[in-house]
Amino acid sequence: MKKLSLDGTWKLRWMDAQRGSQLSNAEIASPNYDRWIDACVPGEIHLDLWRLGLIDDPYVGTNVLKARWVEEFYWTYRLDFDLPPDALNGRCWLHFDGLDLAASIRFNGEEIGRHANSFTPCRFEVTGKAAIGKNTLIVHIESGLHDVADKPTTPYSANLDHRLTKPQWLRKPQSSFGWDWAPRLLNVGITGSVCVEWTDAPARVDRLVPLAEASDDLQRGWVRVRQFIEGFEPETKSGLLRVRVGEAVATNRIDIKPGLHPYEIRIEIDHPELWWPVGHGAQPLYEVVAELEVDGAQLGTTQARIGFRNIKVLQDPHPKGGRYFVIEVNGKKIFAKGGNFVPADMIFSRIDSERYDKLTDLALESNFNMLRVWGGGLYEADSFYDMCDEKGILVWQEFIFACKKYPMTDEAFHENVKAEAVYHIRRLASHASLAIWCGNNEMEWGNWDWGFDKGIVYPDYSFFHLTIPRLLDQEDPTRYYQASSPFSPGVVNPNANNVGDQHPWSVGFANTDFRDYRKMDCRFPNEGGILGPTSLPTMLACLPEGQRRIHSFAWMTHDNSIASYGDPSGADSIIRQWVGKDDTKLDIEEFAYWAGLVQGEGLREYCDNFRRRMFDSASAVFWMYNDTWPATRSWTTVDYYLRRTPAFHPVRRAFQPVSVVVAEDGDDVVVFGINDGSHPISGELRYGIFNTRGGYPLDVTAHVELAANASTRIAAFPRRDWRQCDPAATKTGAFAILSRDGQLISRNRLFLPFLKDLALEKANVRVRLEGEKAIFDSSAFVLGVCLDLNGEERLPDNFFDLYPEMPYELPWCGTSPPKILYAGNMCSQELPTVR
């Protein structure tokens, strides 16, 4: 197979049905390039217009609204190119890796095909249509709005904006139509590479799909290798398929049939090196190489990487009712720690390997071992899954359907999305990191609780309960699949706490008292969160001069739309509720601190509660990890510019491999020791009650042992002891500090009232340097010590507390002590005293 890349600079023009026009035959023959602009392929039209100054930076201010005309226009790409003479021998194709969205492709004056799915490539045979020398390729394309203008909306969605944009009909990221955390910006353009391919061979090799597993006893690994081959001869053709996995080699004589078909070889390997999630072992990967030989000539070679692991989802009956939901890898239960992954840019062509690398590195810095690829975004690029394989990050992968009804009873639509599902199953099935397939986000919940049983009743139910299971049985029977998330099999309510996975959204919207997390006993919570600020530089980057105030027009454009739900909304009132601050009287920097302090508290409560219940709860996966554009307020711990938000470090600490949690449990205050490791850990525990102004009414030390891969109840005291010394619990907090050989491992504390109701003295902090350490201490409790709001530098800690008379050490290489910017004990205009 020979290839000619058509990537590079193309010509581009526009039409709005009033101005501009479809290309005439004369224009095709002799284009007037004064009417055209240069466009990059692969790329996206907003980027071309931005580069040429025809639209302003859509990431700043309200420019995203001013750029909305781009998605409403028709666009035409043109490229003239030469083909070598041998391209006319044999068979020839045009291949597009990505078109977004509704496209008509014309080659040398003839329409050769149409395509309307941004998630799949397309391939058109042009045998006999190519010319020696100059060839002309024209692509008419639009965002999809015009393609579905005559489609019905109201039976599928009651949203006002959906009447205009009709996202349920358009196969592109659903978040691009606008979500609470994303603006509406419909991508349009030739978004993937384009090439011409030709061959005079009797067949061509297509995708290689190796499915790797380890035996239950972990002593053997086997690979079901599926090599897809397209035969061109009218009769079967004999060939030799050779596959190598590591040092093992297998061959198979095959009869190549006309058309595209899989051809299989099975290889077994004794004592394979096992792939593990990060924190539980190494991530060895094996190279799989397949070669096809026909008539003594090698026709093609394909490669993929695999990892051997035995992965299951355990759903045994739970002794207190319902069933467990635990991911098991290589016989070991894995507590899933992580966040929801959404598209890393609102213009998807900008997402590159470097961005994925940084995001997955920050996930590791956060102590994640799982990312949930949410069903309203993208099937991510190959490099994302490659990095998850290499770094040991488990992936929960959803098919891209979310929060609405889809027109699956339309046969053409059904066939389109069915082909989409097959393509991505084959593309992703080889990845060791891929743990779970899931049909969609929250549509089963919508069927149960959101009125999806009105209008067109359940038009897509069979797609997730019948079509996808059939496809997975054919294409990838090695993984667990569930129809939706949340999903509680065997229970009427799909968001039942004691079966399946949960989205615990009873906290986070109208109810922002995240102490309610402490009561939740969910089996596998994988979407729940608290709103908060992004990093200070990112917030400021959203807001042009004159707009740098809370609730300005630019602020609201970049704010989460939940902030408009009510007056005041839960998003606005949470700051007053928790720390007693009026957000309208804060400047941007003050908002970043106080709202960040609250969000960090909320996410820590979420993570702590579910980790202490390990494995009654088997995950703490929060909403959401990353941003798709610059936001002033979001759910995230890493913002669009890849800066750590104020909530980053509270989550990082909550996900430490070894940690302690202090919680009320019945009539007791209990200290739980959580140990993700494979071996028990012993240490010294100091726990009890501190007075916020200094002193310890209860101060106990004990030698404790934390069981391997478990949460262990390591200490307790009666709750009445706390009430007796402080009936309102406003002057005291419960604490636990775990150390070994004098080195701090983990610490945590518990307050019962809102933070604003605590009796906190003005911060009086001493900071000194000793060698390569910065040591902080205070005679009184200090809440939320903030060293940085920029989020760019990797700090050893941030937004941490100081316990009375207990020095806190951080690694520090600077020649000057760290500067404290804020602490929760201070009024908004005060700085803590530092000595």
Side-chain angles (χ1 to χ4, degrees), residues 8-10 31 78 90 98 202 207 242 264-265 345 358 411 456 507 548 556 558 613 640 667 700:
T9 301
W10 291 40
R78 178 186 177 122
R207 184 170 295 279
R242 180 183 297 106
E264 295 192 8
I265 290 180
D345 205 298
K358 180 68 171 176
E411 184 176 1
I456 293 182
V507 173
R548 291 191 167 179
M556 291 188 291
H558 289 262
R613 299 175 188 272
Y640 171 75
D667 294 330
V700 182

Side-chain angles (χ1 to χ4, degrees), residues 196-215:
V196 184
E197 297 181 347
W198 65 93
T199 184
D200 58 3
R204 72 172 185 91
V205 293
D206 197 84
R207 184 170 295 279
L208 176 65
V209 185
L211 301 174
E213 293 184 280
S215 60

Side-chain angles (χ1 to χ4, degrees), residues 207 209-212 224-226 228 260-262 264 399 418-419 421-430 437 467-479:
R207 184 170 295 279
V209 185
L211 301 174
R224 177 190 171 198
V225 180
R226 305 177 78 213
F228 286 83
L260 183 66
H261 301 282
E264 295 192 8
F399 293 89
K418 182 179 175 182
V422 169
Y423 172 77
H424 288 288
I425 294 168
R426 292 176 182 174
R427 181 173 73 93
L428 302 181
S430 64
W437 290 109
T467 301
I468 291 182
R470 281 180 172 175
L471 295 177
L472 286 168
D473 183 62
Q474 297 166 9
E475 305 288 346
D476 181 17
T478 67
R479 289 176 175 87

